[in-house]
Structure formats: C-alpha cells, structure tokens
Amino acid sequence: MNMADHAPHGELDKVTGRTTTGHEWDGIQELNTPLPRWWVWTFYATIVWSIAYWIVYPAWPLVKDHTTGWFNYSSRADVAVELAKLDAIRGGKMAALSTASLEDIQKDPALLAMARAKGKAVFGDNCAPCHGTGATGSKGFPNLNDDDWLWGGSLDQIMKTIRFGARSGHAEAHEGQMLAFGKEGVLKPDEIVTVANYVRSLSGLPTRPGFDKAAGEKLFTENCVACHGEDAKGNPELGAPNLTDKIWLYGSDEATIIETVTNGRAGVMPSWEGRLDTGTIKAMAVYVHSLGGGK
Amino acid sequence: MNKTVLPSELNPDPDGPLYVAQKKIYPQRVSGTFRRIKWILMAVCLGIYYFLPFVRWNRGPGLPDQAVLLDLANNRFYFFFIELWPQEVYYFTGLLIIAAIVLFLMNSLGGRVWCGYLCPQTVWTDLFYAVERAVEGDRRERMKKEAEGLTLQRAAELTLKHSIWLMIAWWTGGAWVLYFADAPTLMKELVTFQAPMVAYIWIGILTFTTYVLAGFMREQVCVYMCPWPRIQAALTDEWALNVTYKYDRGETRTSLKKAEQARAAGEKVGDCIDCNQCVAVCPTGIDIRDGSQLACIQCGLCIDACDTVMKKIGREPRLIGYDNDINIHRRMEGKPEVFRTIRARTVIYTVLIAVVGAIMLYTLSHRTLLDVNVLHDRNPLAVRLSDGSVRNGYTMRVLNKQGIDRVVSVEVEGPPSATLQVIGVEATAAERPTISIGRDQTLELRVLVTVGSEENLDKSTPVRFRVIDTKSGEVAAATDNFVTP
Ligand code: SF4
Ligand code: SF4
C-alpha cells in the first residue's frame, strides 16, 4: 500500500455511493463497512475472559513452578480421577480374573476378552524387550506364536513359567542346563561335528559329506538322550527342546549347533511372581496362550 | 441497482467510528399469502421439533421404542425402521450431502427459501416477534413505548414478554435433550430432578442460545454471523427467482396524489407510492427497493405488505414479487417474460440428489443384520509351526445387529488344507466352531488359520471367512489374505 497518495478518508465511492476508509491499493479503494458494535464488545469480552482464565486456571510459568490458579486445578488430577473411575468399572472383572481358574477365563468370552486386552498391555510393558512386541522372539528368545514350547504350552505350564521363570534364581524356577560338552572336555571337537550333523539329520536337514551316521547316533545316545529323550523329541520338564522339528531357538546351521554343543545353553527368563499380581499374571498367561493356541 | 447495502451502512458518517450500533428493528404486522405460508411452515417445523421425540416405534423386546433416538451411551441411532451403528456414519454423510444439494437446488429455483421460511433462526425469531407484537403492540406502538421510557405498565409488559420468551427457549432446550433418551422417562426424571446433570446443562445452554439468538441477535445472526448468505451469493444465477422490487414498474416513485395529476396530464409515473410499508414489515430492516442484497433473507413479507397497499389503491399486485433482472429488462424492452426452471444447474442438482438418494436407499435396503470384519495380525504376519505348517492369526469381529441372541458358526475357505481355530472355543475336527452373540452386540474373536506344509502356497493367498447363523442360515463373509513367512 502506498500511503503517500492515499485517497482522503470518507471519500465517496462513485460506483456504490458509499464512503471509503481511505485505504487504497493500486487504485482499488476499501469501502467503509462498519462492524456492529456488539462485535467489538464480544472481542473485548474475550480479552476479559482470557485474563479471568489466567487467574482461575494454572497459566503462567514461574522459574521452578507455575501459577496454580484459584482451584488448584490440574489436568493430571483429572486423569487420576478418570483412571480411578475406570478401575472401579473394571474392578469386578479384575477381581474375577484373579479368582477364576485359567480354564474358566478361557471359556467366558467377556473374561477372555478382558484377559487378552490386559495381557497384551502387560506383555508390551514387560515381555516385549526379549520376546518382541509381536511375541515372535529372536535368537535365544522363543517365539510364543508357534506350537513349540520349551517348558510346555498348556495354560497351567505357561502360567508356571511366567510366575517363576527359568533359571531365574526363584526356588521354583525351571532348572536344567545344556552342558558345555566342548568346554568341559566331554566331547572332542570332531565328535561335536559328528553329533551336530546327526542332530541336523533328525529333522531332515542335509549333513556334510562323509558324515558317519552310526557314530553320530552312538554319540547322541551316550550324551544327549538323558535330556532330549530317546526319540530326541525333548523334555519340557528340563526345557530340553525337540530336535526333530522345524523350530530352532538358536539356529539350525551346523556352526550354531556346534557352538551350542561346545558351550552349552542356559537362557534366562525372570520370575514375575511378586512383581505382578495374580490377576495380571493370569491375564498374561491367557494372552500368551491365545497367540498360537498353546499346545 | 444491484448494490449491497447493510442496514448498518445506510448513510454512514464519513468520519464516524469503525463500529456502528445495532439499529433496533420494529417489524410491522402483515398478512397475505407469504405470511400464511410462513405461519404454516412454522407450525410444521416447530411441531416436528417439539413432538417427534414422543412418537413411538416398536422394535421388539430389548430395544428402545422411540421413533427417533440418538442413544449416545450405547452408540446407536434409531430412526423409525432404521438402526445405525457408529461405523455406519456414512449414512449421515449421505444425508448431509443430500441436504446441501437440496439447499443448492432451492437456491437456484427460488433464492433463499431456506433463510426465509425454514431456517431455525428465522422460525424462532418470527415466533419471538409474534410474542413481542402480542404483548407490546404493533410497530408504531412499540416504537412509541420505547421512546417514552419505563413506566409501570411497560415494566409489566416487558416482564411478560421476556417470561414467555424464556419459556419458549426453555421448552426448546427441553425438547432437544428428549432426542437423546427415552422421552417420557426423561420427562418424568426432569420434573422430579432425577435426570442426569448433562440433561440440565444442555437445557440451560439451549435456553440461553434460543433466548439470545431469537430475542436479541435476530437479523444480526443473518447479516454478520451466518455463512449461508455468503455461500448463497455464489450459488445464485441470473435465472433464479428472488424477492425483487420490479423497478421497471415502480419507478419513478410518486405519491398517490401527484401520480393522479401526472397521469391526468399524460405523463408516465411508476406504481410505487413510496409508502415505506415494505420497509416497515421487513424483519431485517432493509429496503428491498435498493435491490437484491445480502441482508435480505427473502421471507416475502414485503411482497405481502406491498400487495396489501396495491389492493387498497386499486393497482395490480406484485410490484414486489419473485422475479429476476432478466425479466425486468425484458419488460423494459417490451418483450414477454421468460422463466427457466430447467437449466443445467437445476438438472445437475436434481440428478445428484436422485443418485445420492438411490445409493443410500440401495445400501440401506441391502444392509445386513449380521456382519463380520477381519483384521490380519501385523506382527507376526505368519508363524512356522514345528511340523513345517504355517499359521496366520486374525482378529475377527462379528456384529449382530438384530434384536435377538444368535448362535453362529465360523468357517474358512481358501487353501484346501486350511483349518480354523477360534481361541476359547472347543471344536472337533468334524464340526465348525460355534459362538453365541447377544442381541445388538459385537464380539471380538481371535482366529487362527493353519495350512499344512505339503501345500505350496504363494506369498499371499486369499482366504474367505464365513459366519453363519446356525438357525436362520444367514451368512456374512469377509476376505483377507493368508501369508507365508
Ligand atoms: S442468513 Fe443464516 S441464520 Fe439467517 S435465515 Fe439465512 S440461514 Fe438462517
Ligand atoms: S426485503 Fe422483503 S423479503 Fe427481504 S427480508 Fe425484508 S421483508 Fe423479507
């Protein structure tokens, strides 16, 4: 806008017959269209409102704190109230979760939905760091979606594992270790290679040329059947995995199996008893079981 | 002739402030065709608004029997034979689209029909003016009383007027909340002070807004606050009929006596006698003779006022009437009038209304009462089982939109070896898993599909879930994919 050659305020616009504000842009003048007075009062009212708002509600930041307002209002307190209300609503269901048996929870669609929702949230907070958000696990941390369960896949077995953990130090925790056959000098390196190839052959994986199956079987019978069983199908009492299936906790390639036999394995799962209440642990067990339907 | 003049702009003081006081308007009583139409439409609109919540509609046991009900607590909307769930808001979208196009169509045919006859702001303001006239008297009396200041009688009149206004406003708020709960029950609760707090709060809010908007803001809402006058300016065209002062016939304005003399002398003068009756009756306080303008809500009352005058002085009525500039010019050129209702835009609007309406009717009549949605697990997409077979997990939601409990069975179609498992439901190999769902409810299920390792599957294979009502045989289906790791 060029204010230097502005039209005089109040000039009559020839086309409309109305006065102008005197503002002009390249010859285009602004018509004087007064607003109603209540409009400007409304505007002042909003200013007063904002000042009142500063006084009534927390508003201004101070060095360490902030002004608290007349009623000490805090949105955090509001959230606490809302959460308390929610807890009250859920209270009955939560109580039912801690008293009902796992089977009953599973049979009651409302309780099952509740347990799954709760279990999912708790799983995300506590279990996902090791097992992954989708419970798919990773090397050394079992996938909980499949049908292969180290310590058993029934509702009760899953519940027990969550409560006490594995090699967690809890008195009732799952125990049982894979011996470090190489390190302890029980098997010589070439024997380990042989037994590793034998293990691969159990699930139909290819073996290295010149592998002596009979020698492997002999070594296996002498050293491994105690835990993994004569049929090599594992033993959930000891957490000994099934070696005949398609699921491998650490890996099925020869090098990994050799590493496993040489150094042993002893994955740790913490015990959640005492850290989470019974209802929560039950919810988690039901949730984990529902991922793949357990076994 | 077509300049836009706001009531507040008439003769603005060139050096005056940028703000002007609201000019108080005292519309005069008027009778005639359009006034009658407005009374009838007012009765219909208010009648629907106030009494609709009390209309009953039987939907069977367990479901509300109110014809129109917005059940927010249970997320249901009932409209006579229709029951809508939250995920069906697109019906509302469709309804709003139709409503918008109907507005456009009305606009291209008869201008601001909505503003003049149907808008709640107009209807309630009209009602409030009627009360004002009944209590305080007509235009002249009201102006006189206002100028005289407060007397005891005036104080009594004002008290009466505002009490009636507040009662109407309160009833307006009261009717509003009845759409959100069972009306008779809520009525009982309201008078015994047992209704929920929100009901009272909403009645309070609507009482306040009705009282302020219809009692005080009135034409200010239309001139300054409402977007529709601005939109309408963009929607009108030269063929649309609007309330128009026919200046070809009215100018030059001449008083009755002068006109007689002039006509006797063979001079040509206009039919407008400059009696200002059209201005006196106007609820927005404008002069229609200034041409089509933003502040004119096209209520047609000035037509009635002018017709009354013309009848009295023995001239043709409709000096003001529904007309357009095209015809004014044609008459001035001595050509016959033309009215064109069938134009590109009216045809397009009508077709659009028909198409959207047909789509809505179709979807509404094909709306299923049993529905299923399936969502594939995101993580993991697929799980390899110990025997090499592959399993996918899904979240299935079954919707029973009927007023009866049902038992449904679930099955999957896809790869031949696909088997289905529903968590929490025992099922034998021979039988499909069955689940019961309460009436008017949804149920979320976790469903696992396993395909044997012998099958050579693509990365992704379509699968189809079917939910079957074991009694009626009604089927709902949803498709998703089966993914291999
Ligand atoms: S301008 Fe707006 S508020 Fe006024 S009558 Fe028209 S739609 Fe209603
Ligand atoms: S000018 Fe006539 S049609 Fe327009 S608002 Fe006034 S009375 Fe109604």
Side-chain angles (χ1 to χ4, degrees):
Chain A
M1 180 173 68
N2 187 350
M3 287 300 287
D5 53 35
H6 72 277
H9 176 44
E11 192 184 74
L12 268 193
D13 175 60
K14 280 173 228 57
V15 181
T16 59
R18 287 167 49 189
T19 56
T20 69
T21 57
H23 301 162
E24 183 188 328
W25 291 264
D26 297 336
I28 301 170
Q29 294 181 21
E30 185 187 359
L31 295 180
N32 180 13
T33 308
L35 275 180
R37 197 162 53 201
W38 59 262
W39 193 284
V40 79
W41 282 117
T42 311
F43 175 59
Y44 292 147
T46 60
I47 295 174
V48 173
W49 175 272
S50 70
I51 293 171
Y53 199 94
W54 290 338
I55 298 167
V56 176
Y57 283 101
W60 290 98
L62 305 174
V63 179
K64 281 205 173 113
D65 205 359
H66 56 80
T67 55
T68 52
W70 271 354
F71 306 122
N72 274 322
Y73 171 81
S74 122
S75 48
R76 231 167 244 252
D78 271 8
V79 173
V81 170
E82 290 297 319
L83 286 180
K85 262 193 221 157
L86 212 58
D87 277 348
I89 296 169
R90 286 183 186 152
K93 286 260 167 64
M94 277 313 291
L97 273 191
S98 42
T99 49
S101 76
L102 290 167
E103 281 70 27
D104 288 346
I105 296 174
Q106 182 115 14
K107 271 188 209 124
D108 178 340
L111 270 184
L112 175 63
M114 175 84 185
R116 281 199 14 94
K118 169 122 189 137
K120 184 170 183 176
V122 180
F123 187 92
D125 289 346
N126 299 290
C127 317
C130 294
H131 290 285
T133 47
T136 46
S138 59
K139 185 176 177 183
F141 301 100
N143 183 345
L144 305 176
N145 291 281
D146 61 26
D147 60 345
D148 188 29
W149 296 86
L150 280 180
W151 306 100
S154 73
L155 274 169
D156 289 317
Q157 285 168 319
I158 293 173
M159 172 95 174
K160 181 165 189 268
T161 307
I162 298 173
R163 281 175 73 188
F164 307 124
R167 309 170 191 106
S168 62
H170 191 285
E172 290 181 61
H174 291 307
E175 295 300 344
Q177 296 222 9
M178 164 95 183
L179 206 65
F181 289 91
K183 259 208 201 140
E184 305 281 335
V186 183
L187 292 177
K188 289 194 265 320
D190 59 329
E191 288 173 329
I192 292 177
V193 172
T194 307
V195 85
N197 275 280
Y198 178 72
V199 166
R200 276 170 64 79
S201 74
L202 287 174
S203 54
L205 293 167
T207 47
R208 68 161 68 185
F211 153 64
D212 180 353
K213 188 162 181 183
E217 185 169 4
K218 187 162 173 281
L219 282 168
F220 190 84
T221 314
E222 283 166 2
N223 296 286
C224 313
V225 290
C227 294
H228 290 283
E230 304 236 7
D231 53 2
K233 290 231 159 92
N235 181 355
E237 291 298 313
L238 302 166
N242 181 346
L243 300 176
T244 63
D245 64 17
K246 301 270 187 299
I247 291 169
W248 295 83
L249 185 54
Y250 293 92
S252 62
D253 55 305
E254 190 194 52
T256 307
I257 298 176
I258 290 174
E259 185 192 320
T260 304
V261 178
T262 308
N263 299 327
R265 299 285 186 188
V268 175
M269 150 117 179
S271 118
W272 295 95
E273 179 97 331
R275 285 198 270 179
L276 300 173
D277 61 74
T278 317
T280 308
I281 292 182
K282 278 187 184 169
M284 210 142 85
V286 170
Y287 170 71
V288 169
H289 182 266
S290 77
L291 288 173
K295 194 179 184 180
Chain B
M1 223 36 196
N2 274 324
K3 63 185 183 190
T4 303
V5 180
L6 303 178
S8 55
E9 292 166 4
L10 298 170
N11 308 316
D13 173 7
D15 294 312
L18 288 171
Y19 301 98
V20 287
Q22 177 185 355
K23 205 177 83 193
K24 192 150 187 217
I25 296 162
Y26 304 87
Q28 183 173 300
R29 175 177 286 127
V30 64
S31 54
T33 318
F34 292 96
R35 181 65 269 183
R36 210 166 313 125
I37 295 174
K38 274 172 72 76
W39 284 135
I40 294 168
L41 286 177
M42 181 200 280
V44 172
C45 292
L46 293 180
I48 291 176
Y49 176 71
Y50 288 126
F51 296 110
L52 193 54
F54 295 99
V55 177
R56 302 287 103 184
W57 190 269
N58 190 6
R59 296 189 179 83
L63 288 176
D65 65 346
Q66 186 159 322
V68 179
L69 178 67
L70 263 157
D71 189 349
L72 292 183
N74 300 310
N75 289 328
R76 296 285 181 275
F77 173 62
Y78 301 94
F79 187 83
F80 294 93
F81 61 98
I82 305 169
E83 179 196 334
L84 295 185
W85 288 33
Q87 57 268 52
E88 293 165 321
V89 279
Y90 48 79
Y91 287 115
F92 285 98
T93 315
L95 217 59
L96 287 176
I97 292 173
I98 291 184
I101 309 172
V102 167
L103 273 180
F104 296 176
L105 180 64
M106 288 200 296
N107 205 358
S108 55
L109 292 175
R112 292 166 69 178
V113 175
W114 169 258
C115 293
Y117 305 92
L118 300 167
C119 174
Q121 176 63 22
T122 298
V123 170
W124 262 273
T125 303
D126 216 14
L127 181 64
F128 274 42
Y129 269 133
V131 172
E132 188 167 285
R133 267 198 301 268
V135 176
E136 292 181 48
D138 208 357
R139 175 179 163 89
R140 242 171 258 271
E141 260 172 285
R142 298 211 300 278
M143 291 170 90
K144 197 167 128 237
K145 282 180 186 164
E146 183 110 355
E148 277 167 0
L150 206 62
T151 61
L152 209 58
Q153 201 212 335
R154 178 147 174 81
E157 276 178 15
L158 287 179
T159 316
L160 180 62
K161 177 180 85 174
H162 286 282
S163 316
I164 299 177
W165 278 3
L166 276 168
M167 266 164 59
I168 298 173
W170 170 78
W171 198 17
T172 307
W176 176 262
V177 296
L178 296 182
Y179 284 90
F180 296 86
D182 183 57
T185 319
L186 185 60
M187 282 277 271
K188 241 174 268 155
E189 289 172 352
L190 280 171
V191 290
T192 52
F193 296 103
Q194 267 152 9
M197 200 57 202
V198 282
Y200 293 106
I201 292 175
W202 272 105
I203 293 177
I205 292 174
L206 271 120
T207 306
F208 176 77
T209 51
T210 311
Y211 179 63
V212 170
L213 292 180
F216 301 92
M217 297 302 290
R218 300 172 158 179
E219 81 291 342
Q220 301 281 308
V221 174
C222 305
V223 178
Y224 295 108
M225 291 164 69
C226 180
W228 184 232
R230 281 84 189 161
I231 297 170
Q232 103 101 27
L235 286 172
T236 198
D237 68 353
E238 68 276 27
W239 289 104
L241 293 175
N242 280 302
V243 177
T244 308
Y245 165 64
K246 301 174 183 165
Y247 58 84
D248 58 308
R249 193 188 135 195
E251 300 295 310
T252 36
R253 307 171 195 174
T254 322
S255 76
L256 209 46
K257 227 192 248 144
K258 275 201 197 132
E260 258 168 48
Q261 294 165 355
R263 278 184 184 159
E267 278 169 47
K268 205 187 159 281
V269 289
D271 273 347
C272 174
I273 58 167
D274 215 1
C275 65
N276 264 332
Q277 284 300 294
C278 54
V279 180
V281 298
C282 177
T284 69
I286 54 162
D287 189 343
I288 188 67
R289 294 170 300 172
D290 290 336
S292 160
Q293 52 200 292
L294 178 103
C296 172
I297 59 168
Q298 310 241 332
C299 62
L301 291 182
C302 50
I303 305 181
D304 284 347
C306 191
D307 279 0
T308 314
V309 174
M310 290 296 127
K311 210 162 150 200
K312 222 184 270 170
I313 63 173
R315 290 186 188 160
E316 279 283 299
R318 295 297 141 89
L319 173 54
I320 301 173
Y322 275 95
D323 199 9
N324 55 28
D325 261 5
I326 291 183
N327 282 320
I328 291 183
H329 287 114
R330 286 182 70 91
R331 283 193 303 265
M332 277 157 70
E333 291 160 16
K335 294 185 200 156
E337 294 176 337
V338 276
F339 296 99
R340 207 172 276 174
T341 34
I342 299 171
R343 312 192 296 277
R345 67 174 67 198
T346 56
V347 170
I348 292 171
Y349 293 152
T350 313
V351 168
L352 279 178
I353 292 168
V355 168
V356 179
I359 292 173
M360 278 185 61
L361 268 182
Y362 178 81
T363 50
L364 211 57
S365 56
H366 284 71
R367 183 176 176 273
T368 51
L369 295 173
L370 181 67
D371 212 348
V372 59
N373 301 316
V374 174
L375 189 71
H376 195 289
D377 277 1
R378 294 209 166 195
N379 179 18
L381 284 172
V383 182
R384 170 85 61 196
L385 299 188
S386 51
D387 63 355
S389 57
V390 179
R391 187 163 66 200
N392 281 198
Y394 305 83
T395 305
M396 175 186 274
R397 189 171 274 281
V398 186
L399 298 85
N400 176 13
K401 300 186 195 170
Q402 215 175 15
I404 47 166
D405 300 341
R406 305 212 212 200
V407 178
V408 296
S409 67
V410 186
E411 62 175 35
V412 65
E413 288 166 3
S417 70
T419 54
L420 179 95
Q421 184 188 356
V422 180
I423 298 295
V425 178
E426 307 273 346
T428 55
E431 264 171 60
R432 293 182 294 226
T434 57
I435 303 118
S436 46
I437 313 175
R439 57 166 159 249
D440 208 35
Q441 273 178 9
T442 70
L443 191 65
E444 193 182 283
L445 301 169
R446 178 158 174 79
V447 174
L448 304 172
V449 175
T450 311
V451 172
S453 58
E454 69 283 359
E455 270 197 58
N456 211 346
L457 290 181
D458 287 339
K459 188 89 191 102
S460 175
T461 317
V463 284
R464 191 169 169 80
F465 295 91
R466 280 155 51 90
V467 172
I468 304 145
D469 187 323
T470 48
K471 234 201 231 134
S472 71
E474 206 177 331
V475 178
T479 30
D480 208 312
N481 288 314
F482 187 88
V483 181
T484 51

